[in-house]
Amino acid sequence: MDVYERVRQNILAGEAEEVSKIVKELVNLKYPPEKILQEGLIKGIEILADKFKTEMVLIPEALVATRALNAGLKTISPYIKKDNMYKARAVIGTVEGDIHDIGKNLVKMVVSTVGVEVIDLGIDVSIEKFIDAIKKYKPQLVMISALLTTTLKQMKLTIEEIKNKNLRDDVIIFVGGAPVTRAYAMEIKADYYTKDVVELRDLLDENLDKILKQKSTKKADKNK
């Protein structure tokens, strides 16, 4: 069996300890860390995303696989130059009043495979915590999730406060979650909306450089 296939299969099986063990073995055997990342970890989760899209795996299986991926990423991270591993940084969180994290965790999974470092603020994230994270981590992307109709307003208020704090032109804002629609995303002046994690992965995979350039342009216009 191909050594990278072992990584992929154990990710799909949700075997976090085994994934970490195999990654360590491959590093010790002098396999290139970047190739372990790309051919093993990232391809494994891409297979999972495609299976999820066609409903060949369910959300609980996807979350277990996510934990296995994260174990592998944590193991390989010290061996990879950060400049090579990440093109951008994202802050992600579920809005205040909402304690759902399944969708957020799936988003975190796919975003981490397209060259984006993810700072996960968790659930029930206050507006102040989003603001503080933007100031502290200086992300290019901010990803805001809401899974309840009753917390949609909090998403709107978060974006408004980011603007009030003069941080809006520094970040590209993504919104998503079951009750969120494209029309609502436009109404609250988010930059991007995707209906599911697969659409988000495809968007970032194909357009991340363009999106980052969009942020640079916004910031340049602000400073004129």
Side-chain angles (χ1 to χ4, degrees), residues 3-27 36 40-42 44 64-76:
V3 291
Y4 304 116
E5 178 64 17
R6 286 179 62 206
V7 177
R8 296 192 291 266
Q9 287 193 2
N10 279 280
I11 286 175
L12 296 174
E15 299 290 345
E17 290 185 10
E18 189 65 18
V19 169
S20 182
K21 177 183 175 182
I22 295 170
V23 169
K24 287 178 183 177
E25 288 177 358
L26 295 180
V27 169
I36 298 171
L41 299 170
I42 293 179
V64 172
T66 301
R67 285 193 283 271
L69 169 70
N70 288 336
L73 290 174
K74 185 176 181 180
T75 303
I76 199 67

PDB file of all heavy atoms in Angstrom, residues 3-27 36 40-42 44 64-76:
ATOM      1  N   VAL A   3       2.324   4.678   1.011  1.00  0.00           N
ATOM      2  CA  VAL A   3       2.432   5.183   2.381  1.00  0.00           C
ATOM      3  C   VAL A   3       1.438   6.308   2.654  1.00  0.00           C
ATOM      4  O   VAL A   3       0.898   6.423   3.766  1.00  0.00           O
ATOM      5  CB  VAL A   3       3.866   5.655   2.689  1.00  0.00           C
ATOM      6  CG1 VAL A   3       4.818   4.486   2.744  1.00  0.00           C
ATOM      7  CG2 VAL A   3       4.336   6.711   1.684  1.00  0.00           C
ATOM      8  N   TYR A   4       1.190   7.122   1.645  1.00  0.00           N
ATOM      9  CA  TYR A   4       0.242   8.220   1.830  1.00  0.00           C
ATOM     10  C   TYR A   4      -1.196   7.703   1.873  1.00  0.00           C
ATOM     11  O   TYR A   4      -2.054   8.308   2.521  1.00  0.00           O
ATOM     12  CB  TYR A   4       0.426   9.264   0.729  1.00  0.00           C
ATOM     13  CG  TYR A   4       1.835   9.793   0.658  1.00  0.00           C
ATOM     14  CD1 TYR A   4       2.628   9.578  -0.461  1.00  0.00           C
ATOM     15  CD2 TYR A   4       2.393  10.498   1.727  1.00  0.00           C
ATOM     16  CE1 TYR A   4       3.938  10.052  -0.516  1.00  0.00           C
ATOM     17  CE2 TYR A   4       3.692  10.969   1.680  1.00  0.00           C
ATOM     18  CZ  TYR A   4       4.462  10.745   0.556  1.00  0.00           C
ATOM     19  OH  TYR A   4       5.761  11.205   0.502  1.00  0.00           O
ATOM     20  N   GLU A   5      -1.428   6.598   1.207  1.00  0.00           N
ATOM     21  CA  GLU A   5      -2.744   5.981   1.263  1.00  0.00           C
ATOM     22  C   GLU A   5      -3.056   5.506   2.679  1.00  0.00           C
ATOM     23  O   GLU A   5      -4.212   5.555   3.121  1.00  0.00           O
ATOM     24  CB  GLU A   5      -2.817   4.798   0.279  1.00  0.00           C
ATOM     25  CG  GLU A   5      -4.146   4.042   0.278  1.00  0.00           C
ATOM     26  CD  GLU A   5      -5.325   4.890  -0.184  1.00  0.00           C
ATOM     27  OE1 GLU A   5      -5.121   5.949  -0.815  1.00  0.00           O
ATOM     28  OE2 GLU A   5      -6.464   4.479   0.089  1.00  0.00           O
ATOM     29  N   ARG A   6      -2.035   5.070   3.410  1.00  0.00           N
ATOM     30  CA  ARG A   6      -2.234   4.674   4.816  1.00  0.00           C
ATOM     31  C   ARG A   6      -2.739   5.867   5.629  1.00  0.00           C
ATOM     32  O   ARG A   6      -3.636   5.724   6.461  1.00  0.00           O
ATOM     33  CB  ARG A   6      -0.918   4.177   5.425  1.00  0.00           C
ATOM     34  CG  ARG A   6      -0.469   2.804   4.969  1.00  0.00           C
ATOM     35  CD  ARG A   6       0.852   2.444   5.633  1.00  0.00           C
ATOM     36  NE  ARG A   6       0.739   2.382   7.083  1.00  0.00           N
ATOM     37  CZ  ARG A   6       1.737   2.585   7.933  1.00  0.00           C
ATOM     38  NH1 ARG A   6       2.954   2.882   7.478  1.00  0.00           N
ATOM     39  NH2 ARG A   6       1.550   2.511   9.238  1.00  0.00           N
ATOM     40  N   VAL A   7      -2.164   7.023   5.370  1.00  0.00           N
ATOM     41  CA  VAL A   7      -2.619   8.230   6.067  1.00  0.00           C
ATOM     42  C   VAL A   7      -4.063   8.518   5.714  1.00  0.00           C
ATOM     43  O   VAL A   7      -4.912   8.748   6.591  1.00  0.00           O
ATOM     44  CB  VAL A   7      -1.727   9.441   5.710  1.00  0.00           C
ATOM     45  CG1 VAL A   7      -2.254  10.702   6.392  1.00  0.00           C
ATOM     46  CG2 VAL A   7      -0.281   9.189   6.110  1.00  0.00           C
ATOM     47  N   ARG A   8      -4.359   8.484   4.420  1.00  0.00           N
ATOM     48  CA  ARG A   8      -5.716   8.809   3.956  1.00  0.00           C
ATOM     49  C   ARG A   8      -6.756   7.858   4.530  1.00  0.00           C
ATOM     50  O   ARG A   8      -7.821   8.284   4.998  1.00  0.00           O
ATOM     51  CB  ARG A   8      -5.757   8.802   2.422  1.00  0.00           C
ATOM     52  CG  ARG A   8      -4.886   9.877   1.769  1.00  0.00           C
ATOM     53  CD  ARG A   8      -5.182  10.027   0.295  1.00  0.00           C
ATOM     54  NE  ARG A   8      -4.767   8.886  -0.501  1.00  0.00           N
ATOM     55  CZ  ARG A   8      -3.601   8.795  -1.125  1.00  0.00           C
ATOM     56  NH1 ARG A   8      -2.699   9.751  -1.010  1.00  0.00           N
ATOM     57  NH2 ARG A   8      -3.308   7.732  -1.876  1.00  0.00           N
ATOM     58  N   GLN A   9      -6.460   6.572   4.514  1.00  0.00           N
ATOM     59  CA  GLN A   9      -7.419   5.587   4.999  1.00  0.00           C
ATOM     60  C   GLN A   9      -7.686   5.750   6.489  1.00  0.00           C
ATOM     61  O   GLN A   9      -8.833   5.593   6.945  1.00  0.00           O
ATOM     62  CB  GLN A   9      -6.934   4.171   4.689  1.00  0.00           C
ATOM     63  CG  GLN A   9      -7.042   3.794   3.218  1.00  0.00           C
ATOM     64  CD  GLN A   9      -6.853   2.306   2.980  1.00  0.00           C
ATOM     65  OE1 GLN A   9      -6.677   1.526   3.910  1.00  0.00           O
ATOM     66  NE2 GLN A   9      -6.891   1.896   1.724  1.00  0.00           N
ATOM     67  N   ASN A  10      -6.662   6.066   7.234  1.00  0.00           N
ATOM     68  CA  ASN A  10      -6.856   6.228   8.676  1.00  0.00           C
ATOM     69  C   ASN A  10      -7.579   7.523   9.020  1.00  0.00           C
ATOM     70  O   ASN A  10      -8.286   7.596  10.033  1.00  0.00           O
ATOM     71  CB  ASN A  10      -5.506   6.139   9.401  1.00  0.00           C
ATOM     72  CG  ASN A  10      -5.073   4.705   9.618  1.00  0.00           C
ATOM     73  OD1 ASN A  10      -5.539   4.042  10.550  1.00  0.00           O
ATOM     74  ND2 ASN A  10      -4.207   4.198   8.748  1.00  0.00           N
ATOM     75  N   ILE A  11      -7.424   8.544   8.177  1.00  0.00           N
ATOM     76  CA  ILE A  11      -8.235   9.753   8.361  1.00  0.00           C
ATOM     77  C   ILE A  11      -9.704   9.420   8.146  1.00  0.00           C
ATOM     78  O   ILE A  11     -10.567   9.766   8.966  1.00  0.00           O
ATOM     79  CB  ILE A  11      -7.787  10.868   7.389  1.00  0.00           C
ATOM     80  CG1 ILE A  11      -6.459  11.459   7.852  1.00  0.00           C
ATOM     81  CG2 ILE A  11      -8.850  11.974   7.315  1.00  0.00           C
ATOM     82  CD1 ILE A  11      -5.878  12.476   6.904  1.00  0.00           C
ATOM     83  N   LEU A  12      -9.996   8.733   7.053  1.00  0.00           N
ATOM     84  CA  LEU A  12     -11.385   8.381   6.746  1.00  0.00           C
ATOM     85  C   LEU A  12     -11.985   7.476   7.815  1.00  0.00           C
ATOM     86  O   LEU A  12     -13.185   7.520   8.075  1.00  0.00           O
ATOM     87  CB  LEU A  12     -11.466   7.713   5.370  1.00  0.00           C
ATOM     88  CG  LEU A  12     -11.074   8.602   4.183  1.00  0.00           C
ATOM     89  CD1 LEU A  12     -11.052   7.798   2.889  1.00  0.00           C
ATOM     90  CD2 LEU A  12     -12.048   9.767   4.053  1.00  0.00           C
ATOM     91  N   ALA A  13     -11.135   6.659   8.453  1.00  0.00           N
ATOM     92  CA  ALA A  13     -11.601   5.769   9.510  1.00  0.00           C
ATOM     93  C   ALA A  13     -11.680   6.481  10.861  1.00  0.00           C
ATOM     94  O   ALA A  13     -12.183   5.909  11.839  1.00  0.00           O
ATOM     95  CB  ALA A  13     -10.668   4.564   9.620  1.00  0.00           C
ATOM     96  N   GLY A  14     -11.186   7.716  10.911  1.00  0.00           N
ATOM     97  CA  GLY A  14     -11.245   8.481  12.155  1.00  0.00           C
ATOM     98  C   GLY A  14     -10.251   8.043  13.201  1.00  0.00           C
ATOM     99  O   GLY A  14     -10.447   8.278  14.397  1.00  0.00           O
ATOM    100  N   GLU A  15      -9.153   7.432  12.769  1.00  0.00           N
ATOM    101  CA  GLU A  15      -8.144   6.909  13.698  1.00  0.00           C
ATOM    102  C   GLU A  15      -7.081   7.970  13.981  1.00  0.00           C
ATOM    103  O   GLU A  15      -6.008   7.994  13.384  1.00  0.00           O
ATOM    104  CB  GLU A  15      -7.501   5.645  13.112  1.00  0.00           C
ATOM    105  CG  GLU A  15      -8.472   4.505  12.861  1.00  0.00           C
ATOM    106  CD  GLU A  15      -8.980   3.887  14.157  1.00  0.00           C
ATOM    107  OE1 GLU A  15      -8.370   4.143  15.221  1.00  0.00           O
ATOM    108  OE2 GLU A  15      -9.979   3.146  14.112  1.00  0.00           O
ATOM    109  N   ALA A  16      -7.388   8.854  14.917  1.00  0.00           N
ATOM    110  CA  ALA A  16      -6.513   9.989  15.191  1.00  0.00           C
ATOM    111  C   ALA A  16      -5.118   9.560  15.656  1.00  0.00           C
ATOM    112  O   ALA A  16      -4.106  10.068  15.159  1.00  0.00           O
ATOM    113  CB  ALA A  16      -7.153  10.903  16.241  1.00  0.00           C
ATOM    114  N   GLU A  17      -5.049   8.638  16.603  1.00  0.00           N
ATOM    115  CA  GLU A  17      -3.749   8.195  17.117  1.00  0.00           C
ATOM    116  C   GLU A  17      -2.923   7.526  16.028  1.00  0.00           C
ATOM    117  O   GLU A  17      -1.707   7.722  15.943  1.00  0.00           O
ATOM    118  CB  GLU A  17      -3.944   7.241  18.300  1.00  0.00           C
ATOM    119  CG  GLU A  17      -4.471   7.919  19.555  1.00  0.00           C
ATOM    120  CD  GLU A  17      -4.528   6.974  20.739  1.00  0.00           C
ATOM    121  OE1 GLU A  17      -3.977   5.849  20.641  1.00  0.00           O
ATOM    122  OE2 GLU A  17      -5.119   7.353  21.764  1.00  0.00           O
ATOM    123  N   GLU A  18      -3.585   6.756  15.187  1.00  0.00           N
ATOM    124  CA  GLU A  18      -2.870   6.052  14.125  1.00  0.00           C
ATOM    125  C   GLU A  18      -2.353   7.036  13.078  1.00  0.00           C
ATOM    126  O   GLU A  18      -1.238   6.882  12.566  1.00  0.00           O
ATOM    127  CB  GLU A  18      -3.796   5.015  13.475  1.00  0.00           C
ATOM    128  CG  GLU A  18      -3.106   4.076  12.502  1.00  0.00           C
ATOM    129  CD  GLU A  18      -2.073   3.166  13.157  1.00  0.00           C
ATOM    130  OE1 GLU A  18      -2.106   2.999  14.391  1.00  0.00           O
ATOM    131  OE2 GLU A  18      -1.217   2.628  12.415  1.00  0.00           O
ATOM    132  N   VAL A  19      -3.157   8.041  12.761  1.00  0.00           N
ATOM    133  CA  VAL A  19      -2.713   9.062  11.810  1.00  0.00           C
ATOM    134  C   VAL A  19      -1.459   9.754  12.333  1.00  0.00           C
ATOM    135  O   VAL A  19      -0.468   9.917  11.615  1.00  0.00           O
ATOM    136  CB  VAL A  19      -3.829  10.098  11.548  1.00  0.00           C
ATOM    137  CG1 VAL A  19      -3.275  11.300  10.768  1.00  0.00           C
ATOM    138  CG2 VAL A  19      -4.981   9.464  10.773  1.00  0.00           C
ATOM    139  N   SER A  20      -1.495  10.156  13.588  1.00  0.00           N
ATOM    140  CA  SER A  20      -0.337  10.816  14.190  1.00  0.00           C
ATOM    141  C   SER A  20       0.888   9.904  14.176  1.00  0.00           C
ATOM    142  O   SER A  20       2.002  10.342  13.851  1.00  0.00           O
ATOM    143  CB  SER A  20      -0.672  11.218  15.630  1.00  0.00           C
ATOM    144  OG  SER A  20       0.404  11.895  16.221  1.00  0.00           O
ATOM    145  N   LYS A  21       0.674   8.636  14.483  1.00  0.00           N
ATOM    146  CA  LYS A  21       1.772   7.664  14.511  1.00  0.00           C
ATOM    147  C   LYS A  21       2.396   7.493  13.128  1.00  0.00           C
ATOM    148  O   LYS A  21       3.627   7.499  12.978  1.00  0.00           O
ATOM    149  CB  LYS A  21       1.244   6.319  15.019  1.00  0.00           C
ATOM    150  CG  LYS A  21       2.277   5.203  15.033  1.00  0.00           C
ATOM    151  CD  LYS A  21       1.629   3.888  15.481  1.00  0.00           C
ATOM    152  CE  LYS A  21       2.616   2.724  15.376  1.00  0.00           C
ATOM    153  NZ  LYS A  21       1.981   1.435  15.753  1.00  0.00           N
ATOM    154  N   ILE A  22       1.554   7.361  12.100  1.00  0.00           N
ATOM    155  CA  ILE A  22       2.059   7.168  10.739  1.00  0.00           C
ATOM    156  C   ILE A  22       2.822   8.401  10.266  1.00  0.00           C
ATOM    157  O   ILE A  22       3.885   8.290   9.641  1.00  0.00           O
ATOM    158  CB  ILE A  22       0.904   6.845   9.769  1.00  0.00           C
ATOM    159  CG1 ILE A  22       0.255   5.506  10.132  1.00  0.00           C
ATOM    160  CG2 ILE A  22       1.409   6.793   8.325  1.00  0.00           C
ATOM    161  CD1 ILE A  22      -1.032   5.230   9.385  1.00  0.00           C
ATOM    162  N   VAL A  23       2.282   9.576  10.563  1.00  0.00           N
ATOM    163  CA  VAL A  23       2.960  10.814  10.168  1.00  0.00           C
ATOM    164  C   VAL A  23       4.349  10.885  10.801  1.00  0.00           C
ATOM    165  O   VAL A  23       5.334  11.224  10.133  1.00  0.00           O
ATOM    166  CB  VAL A  23       2.115  12.041  10.558  1.00  0.00           C
ATOM    167  CG1 VAL A  23       2.931  13.330  10.405  1.00  0.00           C
ATOM    168  CG2 VAL A  23       0.852  12.119   9.695  1.00  0.00           C
ATOM    169  N   LYS A  24       4.450  10.541  12.073  1.00  0.00           N
ATOM    170  CA  LYS A  24       5.755  10.531  12.745  1.00  0.00           C
ATOM    171  C   LYS A  24       6.706   9.541  12.080  1.00  0.00           C
ATOM    172  O   LYS A  24       7.892   9.829  11.878  1.00  0.00           O
ATOM    173  CB  LYS A  24       5.576  10.169  14.216  1.00  0.00           C
ATOM    174  CG  LYS A  24       4.969  11.263  15.063  1.00  0.00           C
ATOM    175  CD  LYS A  24       4.798  10.791  16.497  1.00  0.00           C
ATOM    176  CE  LYS A  24       4.126  11.848  17.348  1.00  0.00           C
ATOM    177  NZ  LYS A  24       3.882  11.362  18.729  1.00  0.00           N
ATOM    178  N   GLU A  25       6.180   8.368  11.739  1.00  0.00           N
ATOM    179  CA  GLU A  25       7.005   7.348  11.086  1.00  0.00           C
ATOM    180  C   GLU A  25       7.546   7.864   9.758  1.00  0.00           C
ATOM    181  O   GLU A  25       8.725   7.691   9.436  1.00  0.00           O
ATOM    182  CB  GLU A  25       6.184   6.079  10.844  1.00  0.00           C
ATOM    183  CG  GLU A  25       5.867   5.277  12.093  1.00  0.00           C
ATOM    184  CD  GLU A  25       4.990   4.072  11.790  1.00  0.00           C
ATOM    185  OE1 GLU A  25       4.609   3.900  10.600  1.00  0.00           O
ATOM    186  OE2 GLU A  25       4.678   3.318  12.722  1.00  0.00           O
ATOM    187  N   LEU A  26       6.686   8.496   8.977  1.00  0.00           N
ATOM    188  CA  LEU A  26       7.092   8.991   7.663  1.00  0.00           C
ATOM    189  C   LEU A  26       8.133  10.098   7.785  1.00  0.00           C
ATOM    190  O   LEU A  26       9.084  10.157   7.001  1.00  0.00           O
ATOM    191  CB  LEU A  26       5.874   9.490   6.883  1.00  0.00           C
ATOM    192  CG  LEU A  26       4.831   8.421   6.512  1.00  0.00           C
ATOM    193  CD1 LEU A  26       3.686   9.048   5.740  1.00  0.00           C
ATOM    194  CD2 LEU A  26       5.469   7.300   5.704  1.00  0.00           C
ATOM    195  N   VAL A  27       7.963  10.966   8.770  1.00  0.00           N
ATOM    196  CA  VAL A  27       8.952  12.025   9.006  1.00  0.00           C
ATOM    197  C   VAL A  27      10.296  11.406   9.366  1.00  0.00           C
ATOM    198  O   VAL A  27      11.348  11.806   8.846  1.00  0.00           O
ATOM    199  CB  VAL A  27       8.476  12.977  10.125  1.00  0.00           C
ATOM    200  CG1 VAL A  27       9.625  13.903  10.552  1.00  0.00           C
ATOM    201  CG2 VAL A  27       7.289  13.805   9.658  1.00  0.00           C
ATOM    202  N   ILE A  36       3.838  14.779   2.797  1.00  0.00           N
ATOM    203  CA  ILE A  36       2.974  14.105   3.771  1.00  0.00           C
ATOM    204  C   ILE A  36       1.700  14.927   3.966  1.00  0.00           C
ATOM    205  O   ILE A  36       0.589  14.391   4.004  1.00  0.00           O
ATOM    206  CB  ILE A  36       3.709  13.935   5.119  1.00  0.00           C
ATOM    207  CG1 ILE A  36       4.945  13.046   4.954  1.00  0.00           C
ATOM    208  CG2 ILE A  36       2.767  13.326   6.168  1.00  0.00           C
ATOM    209  CD1 ILE A  36       5.844  13.007   6.185  1.00  0.00           C
ATOM    210  N   GLY A  40      -1.051  13.029   1.875  1.00  0.00           N
ATOM    211  CA  GLY A  40      -1.698  12.237   2.918  1.00  0.00           C
ATOM    212  C   GLY A  40      -2.869  12.949   3.564  1.00  0.00           C
ATOM    213  O   GLY A  40      -4.030  12.564   3.394  1.00  0.00           O
ATOM    214  N   LEU A  41      -2.582  14.031   4.255  1.00  0.00           N
ATOM    215  CA  LEU A  41      -3.597  14.705   5.053  1.00  0.00           C
ATOM    216  C   LEU A  41      -4.628  15.447   4.207  1.00  0.00           C
ATOM    217  O   LEU A  41      -5.837  15.235   4.348  1.00  0.00           O
ATOM    218  CB  LEU A  41      -2.918  15.673   6.027  1.00  0.00           C
ATOM    219  CG  LEU A  41      -1.964  15.011   7.040  1.00  0.00           C
ATOM    220  CD1 LEU A  41      -1.161  16.070   7.781  1.00  0.00           C
ATOM    221  CD2 LEU A  41      -2.728  14.138   8.016  1.00  0.00           C
ATOM    222  N   ILE A  42      -4.153  16.314   3.335  1.00  0.00           N
ATOM    223  CA  ILE A  42      -5.093  17.131   2.561  1.00  0.00           C
ATOM    224  C   ILE A  42      -5.906  16.285   1.586  1.00  0.00           C
ATOM    225  O   ILE A  42      -7.130  16.438   1.487  1.00  0.00           O
ATOM    226  CB  ILE A  42      -4.348  18.265   1.826  1.00  0.00           C
ATOM    227  CG1 ILE A  42      -3.797  19.259   2.855  1.00  0.00           C
ATOM    228  CG2 ILE A  42      -5.268  18.973   0.833  1.00  0.00           C
ATOM    229  CD1 ILE A  42      -3.012  20.405   2.268  1.00  0.00           C
ATOM    230  N   GLY A  44      -6.631  13.206   1.885  1.00  0.00           N
ATOM    231  CA  GLY A  44      -7.548  12.390   2.677  1.00  0.00           C
ATOM    232  C   GLY A  44      -8.823  13.140   3.005  1.00  0.00           C
ATOM    233  O   GLY A  44      -9.932  12.608   2.875  1.00  0.00           O
ATOM    234  N   VAL A  64     -15.498  12.797  13.267  1.00  0.00           N
ATOM    235  CA  VAL A  64     -14.447  11.894  13.749  1.00  0.00           C
ATOM    236  C   VAL A  64     -13.225  11.982  12.834  1.00  0.00           C
ATOM    237  O   VAL A  64     -12.081  12.016  13.285  1.00  0.00           O
ATOM    238  CB  VAL A  64     -14.971  10.442  13.831  1.00  0.00           C
ATOM    239  CG1 VAL A  64     -13.823   9.478  14.136  1.00  0.00           C
ATOM    240  CG2 VAL A  64     -16.034  10.328  14.916  1.00  0.00           C
ATOM    241  N   ALA A  65     -13.483  12.034  11.525  1.00  0.00           N
ATOM    242  CA  ALA A  65     -12.384  12.170  10.566  1.00  0.00           C
ATOM    243  C   ALA A  65     -11.676  13.507  10.738  1.00  0.00           C
ATOM    244  O   ALA A  65     -10.449  13.607  10.575  1.00  0.00           O
ATOM    245  CB  ALA A  65     -12.912  12.027   9.143  1.00  0.00           C
ATOM    246  N   THR A  66     -12.434  14.544  11.091  1.00  0.00           N
ATOM    247  CA  THR A  66     -11.848  15.861  11.335  1.00  0.00           C
ATOM    248  C   THR A  66     -10.842  15.807  12.472  1.00  0.00           C
ATOM    249  O   THR A  66      -9.759  16.400  12.394  1.00  0.00           O
ATOM    250  CB  THR A  66     -12.950  16.879  11.677  1.00  0.00           C
ATOM    251  OG1 THR A  66     -13.875  16.956  10.600  1.00  0.00           O
ATOM    252  CG2 THR A  66     -12.361  18.260  11.912  1.00  0.00           C
ATOM    253  N   ARG A  67     -11.192  15.097  13.536  1.00  0.00           N
ATOM    254  CA  ARG A  67     -10.275  14.969  14.668  1.00  0.00           C
ATOM    255  C   ARG A  67      -8.997  14.235  14.250  1.00  0.00           C
ATOM    256  O   ARG A  67      -7.897  14.573  14.698  1.00  0.00           O
ATOM    257  CB  ARG A  67     -10.973  14.251  15.819  1.00  0.00           C
ATOM    258  CG  ARG A  67     -11.978  15.125  16.554  1.00  0.00           C
ATOM    259  CD  ARG A  67     -12.420  14.508  17.859  1.00  0.00           C
ATOM    260  NE  ARG A  67     -13.372  13.434  17.654  1.00  0.00           N
ATOM    261  CZ  ARG A  67     -14.683  13.584  17.580  1.00  0.00           C
ATOM    262  NH1 ARG A  67     -15.208  14.800  17.677  1.00  0.00           N
ATOM    263  NH2 ARG A  67     -15.490  12.553  17.409  1.00  0.00           N
ATOM    264  N   ALA A  68      -9.158  13.234  13.381  1.00  0.00           N
ATOM    265  CA  ALA A  68      -7.978  12.501  12.890  1.00  0.00           C
ATOM    266  C   ALA A  68      -7.103  13.423  12.044  1.00  0.00           C
ATOM    267  O   ALA A  68      -5.870  13.396  12.148  1.00  0.00           O
ATOM    268  CB  ALA A  68      -8.422  11.285  12.078  1.00  0.00           C
ATOM    269  N   LEU A  69      -7.730  14.236  11.210  1.00  0.00           N
ATOM    270  CA  LEU A  69      -6.978  15.199  10.408  1.00  0.00           C
ATOM    271  C   LEU A  69      -6.223  16.171  11.304  1.00  0.00           C
ATOM    272  O   LEU A  69      -5.034  16.436  11.092  1.00  0.00           O
ATOM    273  CB  LEU A  69      -7.920  15.989   9.495  1.00  0.00           C
ATOM    274  CG  LEU A  69      -7.283  17.205   8.798  1.00  0.00           C
ATOM    275  CD1 LEU A  69      -6.290  16.756   7.747  1.00  0.00           C
ATOM    276  CD2 LEU A  69      -8.338  18.103   8.201  1.00  0.00           C
ATOM    277  N   ASN A  70      -6.910  16.715  12.309  1.00  0.00           N
ATOM    278  CA  ASN A  70      -6.279  17.678  13.206  1.00  0.00           C
ATOM    279  C   ASN A  70      -5.086  17.074  13.934  1.00  0.00           C
ATOM    280  O   ASN A  70      -4.079  17.749  14.172  1.00  0.00           O
ATOM    281  CB  ASN A  70      -7.296  18.214  14.206  1.00  0.00           C
ATOM    282  CG  ASN A  70      -8.300  19.152  13.557  1.00  0.00           C
ATOM    283  OD1 ASN A  70      -8.016  19.747  12.519  1.00  0.00           O
ATOM    284  ND2 ASN A  70      -9.474  19.293  14.146  1.00  0.00           N
ATOM    285  N   ALA A  71      -5.193  15.788  14.282  1.00  0.00           N
ATOM    286  CA  ALA A  71      -4.069  15.099  14.930  1.00  0.00           C
ATOM    287  C   ALA A  71      -2.872  15.053  13.987  1.00  0.00           C
ATOM    288  O   ALA A  71      -1.726  15.284  14.391  1.00  0.00           O
ATOM    289  CB  ALA A  71      -4.484  13.690  15.344  1.00  0.00           C
ATOM    290  N   GLY A  72      -3.146  14.763  12.711  1.00  0.00           N
ATOM    291  CA  GLY A  72      -2.072  14.726  11.722  1.00  0.00           C
ATOM    292  C   GLY A  72      -1.465  16.095  11.478  1.00  0.00           C
ATOM    293  O   GLY A  72      -0.239  16.238  11.369  1.00  0.00           O
ATOM    294  N   LEU A  73      -2.308  17.129  11.394  1.00  0.00           N
ATOM    295  CA  LEU A  73      -1.821  18.494  11.181  1.00  0.00           C
ATOM    296  C   LEU A  73      -0.947  18.952  12.346  1.00  0.00           C
ATOM    297  O   LEU A  73       0.093  19.597  12.147  1.00  0.00           O
ATOM    298  CB  LEU A  73      -2.999  19.457  11.003  1.00  0.00           C
ATOM    299  CG  LEU A  73      -3.802  19.336   9.712  1.00  0.00           C
ATOM    300  CD1 LEU A  73      -5.007  20.260   9.754  1.00  0.00           C
ATOM    301  CD2 LEU A  73      -2.954  19.630   8.485  1.00  0.00           C
ATOM    302  N   LYS A  74      -1.372  18.606  13.557  1.00  0.00           N
ATOM    303  CA  LYS A  74      -0.599  18.984  14.739  1.00  0.00           C
ATOM    304  C   LYS A  74       0.769  18.295  14.734  1.00  0.00           C
ATOM    305  O   LYS A  74       1.780  18.896  15.120  1.00  0.00           O
ATOM    306  CB  LYS A  74      -1.379  18.595  16.006  1.00  0.00           C
ATOM    307  CG  LYS A  74      -0.713  19.047  17.295  1.00  0.00           C
ATOM    308  CD  LYS A  74      -1.582  18.716  18.493  1.00  0.00           C
ATOM    309  CE  LYS A  74      -0.928  19.180  19.794  1.00  0.00           C
ATOM    310  NZ  LYS A  74      -1.780  18.853  20.973  1.00  0.00           N
ATOM    311  N   THR A  75       0.789  17.057  14.279  1.00  0.00           N
ATOM    312  CA  THR A  75       2.044  16.297  14.253  1.00  0.00           C
ATOM    313  C   THR A  75       3.002  16.822  13.193  1.00  0.00           C
ATOM    314  O   THR A  75       4.210  16.924  13.413  1.00  0.00           O
ATOM    315  CB  THR A  75       1.758  14.804  13.995  1.00  0.00           C
ATOM    316  OG1 THR A  75       0.857  14.323  15.001  1.00  0.00           O
ATOM    317  CG2 THR A  75       3.032  13.981  14.050  1.00  0.00           C
ATOM    318  N   ILE A  76       2.473  17.168  12.020  1.00  0.00           N
ATOM    319  CA  ILE A  76       3.337  17.570  10.910  1.00  0.00           C
ATOM    320  C   ILE A  76       3.743  19.041  10.994  1.00  0.00           C
ATOM    321  O   ILE A  76       4.771  19.448  10.442  1.00  0.00           O
ATOM    322  CB  ILE A  76       2.641  17.298   9.549  1.00  0.00           C
ATOM    323  CG1 ILE A  76       3.670  17.269   8.409  1.00  0.00           C
ATOM    324  CG2 ILE A  76       1.571  18.347   9.248  1.00  0.00           C
ATOM    325  CD1 ILE A  76       4.624  16.119   8.470  1.00  0.00           C
TER     326      ILE A  76
END
